[in-house]
Amino acid sequence: MILAMNSSFVDPSLQFETQLKITESSFKMVFSIPSLDKVKEIGKSEDKQEDLETLYRSIFNIYEDTLLILVSKDFYKLQILKEMAVWMNEDSSYLQERAMVIISRVLSFASRKVKGYTSVDAPCLGILAAELSLLCSHTDPSITQQASLGMYHLLCIAKCQSADIAKNKTAKYAKPGSHCLQPSSSDTEFLPKILQRDKTTIAQSVGKTLLPSLLTDFVWTLLMKLSVPDPVTASEAAAILKLTLEYHAPKVTMVSKIVDAIYKQLRANASHTMKQAMLRVITLLTRTSPKKVIFQLMDYPVPADNTLILMWHAAGSESSVAPHVLKTILLILKGKPGEMQERKKERKRFSLDITNMMPVAASQALCTLLPVGCYKKAVAQFFPQLLMALMLQLFYSSNLRLLTEDRPFYACDALRVLLNCSGLQQVDTALQRKNCWNQFSQVLFHHHGVYLVAKTLSEYNFPQFPETLHYLYKLSVEGPRRSEDSVIIIIFLTELLNNFFKDPFPEEFLVLFRNWVNDSDPAVSKLSLQKIASMAPVINEIENVSSLLLSIVDAFLSKDKTVVIRAFMTLRSLLVRLDKVTYSSLCTRIASSYCPLMDHSNGGIRSMAIRHFGELLRDMSHYTWMLNDVVFRGLVPLILFLEDTEARVVKACKHTLGICASELKWSASYLFNDEYYSFELVVLNICNNLLISHGNYITDLISDTLGYLRSSRTHLRRASVILIGYLAKLGGYLLHRDELEVMLEAVDRVLRDNDPTIRELAGITHKLFKEIAHTLTSSNIKQSFRRFFNFIYIKKLKPLYNYNLPKHLTGSPMGIKETKND
C-alpha cells in the first residue's frame, strides 16, 4: 500500500501524509513484536523455530526495504526516520535497538545514494540530528552505537547538502557528485565511535555541517526537550544545546522565536527545572545576536514581570556584549511611546497592538542593566547618548501620564540610575533637593526640569562634559528625528554653554543658533532668539554678525506671530549696541523688512514694525540719504494706518512719522499733537512737503496707495481714498493719461462701496481725477511746459474733503507758504 502510493497521481503532500500514517501504524505493529528469543520459544521443534525466525526477520526486512525504496525515490521522505525516532521514544516497550538499526541502515543507504544527486532536499535533518544526538548518550550501548552510526551518516548527507549550496554559488558547471566526498573506511570506523557519549564532538560536528536553517531546527528541537517530563532527557538536551550555541550560535536563525518560546515556558512555570539552562540560552544568543534578542525582550507588555527581568539579567550578564546591548536599547529609545507603527500588518506586537511601548520597556530595562558591574565601561562610553535619550523619553512619557505602582516614569528612574552609576550621586541628590524629578511628571514644568538637570550637571563640573557637548553638537548638526526633540536639545545645550563658555559662544555653536532661528517649530525659534538676545552686550565681538542679524530678519516671515514679535525684540536689542559701520551696511535691508509687516493682520506686529522702523531711522540719522527709497516705500502704510482701529498702531504711526518729518526736514511734527490732530491735515501737509522736496516719488506713492483701495478693512479704504486724492491733486501734472485711466477705474469700484462715508469721499476723489484728466493735453510740448511751470511754482492747497477737521482750525499753526525755486 505504501509503495503503491508512489506511482499514483495523488498530490505529493497528500501522498506523503497518507504514507506516513500507514508507516506509523505498521511501526506500532512491527516493533511491538516480542524479541526473537521469545518468538523462538513458541516453536516446539527446530523446524518451527527456524520458520518463525525467518518470518521474524522477513517482517523487519520488508519494513526496512519499504523505507529504502521510499528514500531512494525522494530524500524528502527521510522525514519518516525522524518520526520513527519520535515514536520510539514515546514508548520504551518498542524494540528500540531494532528500530535504531533500521534508521542507521536507511541513513547509510541515503549517504551512499546522495553522491549521484545534484541537489539534496532533506529538510528534516536538523530535527533528526537532535533526536539522534540524545540517543548517542543512551544507557543501552547497542542503541548508542547505532545512534552514533546513524548520526555519522546523517552528517555525511548534510555535508553533501552544504557542499551543494556552496557549489551553486561558486562552480556552476562542476560535475555532479564531485563535491560530495565519501569518507574512507578507516574514518567510518573511527568517527561513529567518537560520537558516542561525546557531546562536545556532536555539537561541533552538527554546528559545522548543518545549514543555518537545519541547525536552527536542531536547536529548537533540543529547546523543546528541556520541558519533557524525563529529567535525564532534559539534562542531556540542555548540555548539547549549550555546547552547540557556544560554538555555532551565529548560524542560528529565528532568534526571536526562540527567545519568545523561552519566555512563555518560564512564565508558565516559574520553578522550571531547566530555568538556568534556558537563561543560559538567552545569554549565548545575546553574544552573537544582541539586536534580535534585545528587540524581542522589549516587545512584551510593560511593566516587565519577574520572568522578563530574569531574562534581562541573562542577556546582560556578559561584558563583551554590553556595548551592543546598549546600542540596541538606544535605538529603541529613539521611538516615541504610544506612537503608531508605520506598517501595522508587518508583525504582531506583544504590547499594545500597534502602539509602540518598547521605549518604556527599554527604560525599565536600563534600570536593571546599568547597575550591573560588567556594564560600567559601556555606560561610561555611551553616557551622552543615554543621557539625552532618557531626557527625551522623560518628555514623551510625561505626555502619556504613564505612572506605574505609584512611582515616577521608568525614564526618570533610569536617568537617576545612570547618574548614580556614572559617579554623579551628588547631582542626583541635588536634583532631588530641587524637586526636579517631580517636575518631569508635569508637562508644564518639563522644560524647567531639563534646565535644572543641565544646570546641576554644570554646577558639579561633571567629567563627561566634553563628550556630552560633542554629542549634542553632532545631534544638532544632524538634526533630531522630531521637531519637539530640538527644544530639549536647545535648552540642554544652551545651559551647558552658558556655564562653560563666556558670550559670545564659539562660531560653530553660533551657527547652530542662527539656523534654529528659522526652525519650523516656533518653540525652537523663540529659544534661539532668546539666547541670541542675551548676547547683545558682546554683539560687536561676534565674527559673522551680519549673517546672524539677517537670520533674525528672515524670522519676520514666520507664520507664528509670537516668533515674529520675539524676532523684533531680539533684533532691536542687538541694533542698539551694534557699531555704526556694520549697522549702516545692513540698515537698508533691515528697514525694507519692516515695510511688509506694517500691514500685518496682527495689531501688535503692525505697531512694532512701524515703531522699530522709526527707531532705525533715528539710529541712522547720519545716513538718511541711504534710506530715502525705503522711507518712501513705507510712507503710504505709515500714513494710512493713522486711521487704524487699534490705538497702539496709531500711536506708533505718529511716533514714526514724527521721526520721518524730522529727518526729512518737514515741518509737520506739530500736526501729531492730539489738540490739533486731523488725518486730512496730516495728509495735506505731508503731500505739500513731498511736492516741495521729493516730488519725483509721488507717482510711486500713488501706485502704492491704489493697492489699499481693495483692502478688506474699511478704515484703510477710507484713508487711501483721501491720500490718493491729495497725491493726484498735487502731482497730477506728473501723470500720463493711461495712468490716470487706471486710477479712475480703481476709484469707480470704490464708488459702489458699502460704507456711505467712503462713497462720499470717493465721489470727491473721482471728481478730482476728472478735472486732472481735462487738463491733460496730447501735445508733448504743452505737457512738458506745464510740468516745468508746476515745478517752479507750487500752489497752496486747502482741505478738499473736510474729513474730521478740528473745530478750531484757525488757531492751529497751518501756515503753508508758497515757494519759488531758482
Side-chain angles (χ1 to χ4, degrees):
M1 288 176 65
I2 293 171
L3 296 178
M5 295 293 295
N6 270 2
S7 59
S8 68
F9 294 98
V10 180
D11 177 78
S13 60
L14 182 60
Q15 178 193 105
F16 176 74
E17 185 180 344
T18 305
Q19 288 177 331
L20 185 62
K21 286 180 179 179
I22 301 173
T23 305
E24 182 181 5
S25 61
S26 301
F27 176 90
K28 291 179 178 179
M29 289 188 292
V30 171
F31 292 94
S32 298
I33 299 174
S35 65
L36 180 59
D37 293 335
K38 290 183 178 180
V39 169
K40 284 183 178 180
E41 292 176 1
I42 299 173
K44 295 181 180 179
S45 63
E46 287 186 10
D47 292 340
K48 289 186 177 181
Q49 288 179 354
E50 188 176 342
D51 291 341
L52 286 172
E53 183 178 352
T54 303
L55 176 62
Y56 185 89
R57 295 187 185 281
S58 297
I59 290 172
F60 286 104
N61 288 340
I62 291 171
Y63 192 89
E64 180 180 332
D65 291 343
T66 303
L67 294 179
L68 290 172
I69 293 171
L70 288 176
V71 170
S72 68
K73 300 293 184 182
D74 186 358
F75 277 108
Y76 180 84
K77 291 177 181 177
L78 283 172
Q79 189 163 341
I80 294 175
L81 301 184
K82 181 260 295 185
E83 298 295 340
M84 281 181 63
V86 173
W87 301 331
M88 186 181 76
N89 289 327
E90 286 177 352
D91 190 347
S92 59
S93 65
Y94 292 142
L95 297 174
Q96 293 187 332
E97 181 188 356
R98 177 66 68 173
M100 278 308 309
V101 168
I102 292 177
I103 290 174
S104 177
R105 287 178 179 175
V106 175
L107 285 173
S108 175
F109 167 78
S111 67
R112 295 192 303 273
K113 183 79 175 176
V114 78
K115 289 191 294 182
Y117 282 72
T118 56
S119 63
V120 182
D121 180 21
C124 67
L125 293 185
I127 302 173
L128 182 55
E131 298 288 350
L132 293 177
S133 68
L134 295 174
L135 292 170
C136 284
S137 299
H138 200 277
T139 54
D140 187 339
S142 59
I143 292 177
T144 301
Q145 182 182 4
Q146 293 299 324
S148 59
L149 188 60
M151 176 67 83
Y152 165 74
H153 292 305
L154 183 146
L155 293 175
C156 289
I157 298 170
K159 188 175 182 181
C160 291
Q161 195 176 36
S162 300
D164 176 56
I165 299 294
K167 183 200 74 161
N168 289 336
K169 291 182 179 179
T170 55
K172 200 176 206 180
Y173 302 103
K175 293 181 180 179
S178 62
H179 57 277
C180 189
L181 302 176
Q182 194 72 9
S184 64
S185 58
S186 60
D187 291 339
T188 305
E189 293 174 0
F190 176 70
L191 187 57
K193 289 182 181 179
I194 65 172
L195 289 174
Q196 295 179 32
R197 304 185 186 281
D198 190 341
K199 300 179 183 64
T200 302
T201 303
I202 292 173
Q204 288 179 332
S205 301
V206 169
K208 182 179 179 181
T209 309
L210 292 184
L211 294 171
S213 60
L214 299 180
L215 183 61
T216 302
D217 292 340
F218 179 83
V219 169
W220 179 262
T221 303
L222 291 176
L223 180 64
M224 295 299 104
K225 294 290 184 182
L226 298 184
S227 298
V228 297
D230 182 13
V232 176
T233 302
S235 178
E236 291 292 331
I240 299 172
L241 182 59
K242 172 179 170 293
L243 289 167
T244 303
L245 292 176
E246 282 182 351
Y247 292 115
H248 299 287
K251 287 181 67 175
V252 176
T253 60
M254 296 172 61
V255 173
S256 299
K257 181 181 177 182
I258 294 172
V259 173
D260 184 47
I262 292 174
Y263 173 73
K264 288 177 179 177
Q265 289 189 43
L266 291 179
R267 192 180 182 193
N269 184 6
S271 58
H272 201 293
T273 55
M274 291 288 108
K275 178 190 293 185
Q276 293 306 317
M278 291 183 182
L279 294 176
R280 184 59 183 167
V281 171
I282 297 294
T283 302
L284 294 173
L285 289 174
T286 307
R287 279 184 185 176
T288 54
S289 304
K291 192 172 182 179
K292 293 178 181 178
V293 173
I294 297 302
F295 261 96
Q296 184 60 41
L297 290 178
M298 300 303 159
D299 203 13
Y300 293 104
V302 288
D305 53 27
N306 292 333
T307 300
L308 197 53
I309 292 174
L310 278 175
M311 294 173 74
W312 283 348
H313 278 293
S317 60
E318 295 203 14
S319 58
S320 60
V321 295
H324 302 290
V325 170
L326 290 183
K327 278 184 181 179
T328 306
I329 290 177
L330 284 169
L331 185 63
I332 294 171
L333 288 175
K334 289 182 178 180
K336 187 175 181 180
E339 196 172 48
M340 304 294 281
Q341 298 300 300
E342 292 181 3
R343 285 177 277 185
K344 300 178 182 179
K345 297 181 181 179
E346 186 173 319
R347 60 191 292 262
K348 182 180 178 182
R349 304 198 68 82
F350 294 94
S351 46
L352 299 178
D353 298 328
I354 56 173
T355 55
N356 180 20
M357 297 302 290
M358 291 177 73
V360 181
S363 299
Q364 187 182 5
L366 285 177
C367 298
T368 302
L369 297 175
L370 293 181
V372 177
C374 62
Y375 270 65
K376 186 174 182 180
K377 186 176 179 180
V379 170
Q381 179 184 351
F382 292 102
F383 177 84
Q385 293 90 328
L386 289 167
L387 177 66
M388 292 314 301
L390 291 172
M391 294 298 293
L392 294 174
Q393 285 301 318
L394 279 168
F395 174 68
Y396 301 148
S397 299
S398 63
N399 290 327
L400 282 180
R401 302 279 183 181
L402 292 176
L403 292 174
T404 306
E405 298 178 359
D406 297 327
R407 298 183 63 201
F409 314 121
Y410 287 119
C412 186
D413 291 341
L415 182 56
R416 296 188 66 183
V417 171
L418 175 65
L419 293 175
N420 283 279
C421 291
S422 305
L424 300 171
Q425 295 88 346
Q426 289 181 321
V427 174
D428 177 39
T429 304
L431 289 171
Q432 195 167 7
R433 191 168 55 249
K434 295 175 182 178
N435 198 33
C436 172
W437 305 124
N438 289 334
Q439 293 190 33
F440 279 114
S441 63
Q442 305 174 44
V443 178
L444 292 176
F445 298 103
H446 182 268
H447 289 167
H448 187 251
V450 175
Y451 160 79
L452 284 178
V453 172
K455 185 166 184 62
T456 308
L457 283 169
S458 302
E459 287 173 351
Y460 284 89
N461 292 317
F462 71 116
Q464 298 90 346
F465 168 72
E467 52 265 40
T468 302
L469 186 64
H470 180 268
Y471 177 69
L472 281 169
Y473 178 77
K474 177 175 176 287
L475 203 61
S476 302
V477 171
E478 293 176 352
R481 291 164 61 87
R482 301 172 185 84
S483 60
E484 61 261 38
D485 296 0
S486 296
V487 177
I488 309 300
I489 292 169
I490 289 181
I491 294 173
F492 209 92
L493 178 62
T494 302
E495 193 52 37
L496 290 186
L497 292 173
N498 284 340
N499 285 276
F500 288 95
F501 292 96
K502 292 182 179 179
D503 286 339
F505 293 157
E507 177 61 24
E508 54 266 31
F509 292 105
L510 278 177
V511 170
L512 296 177
F513 284 91
R514 187 177 69 210
N515 295 337
W516 281 328
V517 166
N518 291 288
D519 194 89
S520 57
D521 186 350
V524 173
S525 299
K526 287 184 283 187
L527 283 169
S528 180
L529 289 166
Q530 182 179 345
K531 178 55 196 171
I532 292 172
S534 70
M535 298 184 194
V538 293
I539 186 64
N540 295 311
E541 298 176 25
I542 297 175
E543 292 181 11
N544 197 6
V545 66
S546 297
S547 177
L548 182 64
L549 293 171
L550 291 177
S551 69
I552 299 172
V553 170
D554 291 338
F556 290 174
L557 302 176
S558 174
K559 295 179 180 179
D560 189 279
K561 63 182 180 181
T562 59
V563 172
V564 179
I565 291 172
R566 173 64 69 178
F568 275 140
M569 296 169 64
T570 300
L571 183 62
R572 190 65 209 145
S573 66
L574 298 178
L575 293 179
V576 170
R577 296 173 181 266
L578 188 64
D579 71 88
K580 295 302 179 185
V581 175
T582 306
Y583 200 163
S584 63
S585 66
L586 298 171
C587 63
T588 303
R589 169 80 167 79
I590 296 172
S592 299
S593 67
Y594 287 129
C595 294
L597 296 172
M598 293 179 185
D599 191 19
H600 198 278
S601 59
N602 180 268
I605 293 176
R606 286 202 303 276
S607 64
M608 290 186 77
I610 292 168
R611 187 172 291 276
H612 288 190
F613 183 77
E615 296 298 331
L616 183 144
L617 295 181
R618 179 178 289 167
D619 293 342
M620 294 284 101
S621 58
H622 297 294
Y623 300 88
T624 305
W625 56 273
M626 296 175 60
L627 295 167
N628 273 349
D629 288 343
V630 182
V631 170
F632 287 104
R633 197 184 312 155
L635 190 59
V636 169
L638 286 175
I639 295 171
L640 297 182
F641 280 101
L642 284 169
E643 289 288 279
D644 200 288
T645 55
E646 295 195 34
R648 56 182 172 175
V649 178
V650 175
K651 189 175 180 180
C653 286
K654 290 179 179 180
H655 170 77
T656 299
L657 281 172
I659 295 173
C660 290
S662 175
E663 297 301 328
L664 297 172
K665 306 297 187 287
W666 292 349
S667 57
S669 57
Y670 60 87
L671 292 171
F672 302 119
N673 296 332
D674 292 339
E675 184 181 356
Y676 303 113
Y677 175 75
S678 165
F679 174 72
E680 185 176 358
L681 294 182
V682 171
V683 171
L684 175 59
N685 185 279
I686 290 175
C687 288
N688 274 295
N689 278 291
L690 271 172
L691 196 60
I692 294 170
S693 58
H694 297 88
N696 55 316
Y697 284 102
I698 287 181
T699 53
D700 292 332
L701 296 175
I702 290 174
S703 177
D704 293 343
T705 309
L706 282 172
Y708 286 94
L709 290 174
R710 304 188 192 94
S711 175
S712 60
R713 286 171 278 188
T714 304
H715 61 273
L716 288 180
R717 296 198 304 277
R718 183 172 60 243
S720 60
V721 167
I722 295 173
L723 177 58
I724 201 169
Y726 277 104
L727 289 172
K729 182 67 176 177
L730 288 172
Y733 65 93
L734 297 171
L735 297 171
H736 295 285
R737 185 173 295 279
D738 54 348
E739 293 172 337
L740 194 60
E741 288 176 359
V742 172
M743 294 164 63
L744 278 167
E745 184 180 348
V747 173
D748 280 341
R749 287 195 295 270
V750 186
L751 287 172
R752 299 184 293 274
D753 198 279
N754 294 329
D755 188 276
T757 305
I758 294 176
R759 290 200 301 271
E760 182 182 348
L761 296 172
I764 299 171
T765 302
H766 190 269
K767 183 179 179 182
L768 288 174
F769 287 178
K770 288 291 187 179
E771 292 175 358
I772 295 169
H774 183 70
T775 60
L776 290 179
T777 175
S778 59
S779 170
N780 290 333
I781 297 175
K782 290 181 179 181
Q783 185 72 8
S784 299
F785 178 77
R786 184 170 174 273
R787 288 179 182 176
F788 177 73
F789 177 77
N790 279 275
F791 177 72
I792 63 173
Y793 179 77
I794 300 172
K795 185 179 180 182
K796 176 182 177 180
L797 277 184
K798 294 181 180 180
L800 301 173
Y801 296 90
N802 294 317
Y803 171 71
N804 290 345
L805 292 176
K807 296 180 180 178
H808 305 290
L809 185 59
T810 55
S812 64
M814 281 294 296
I816 301 176
K817 299 180 180 179
E818 295 180 357
T819 305
K820 293 182 180 179
N821 295 332
D822 293 335

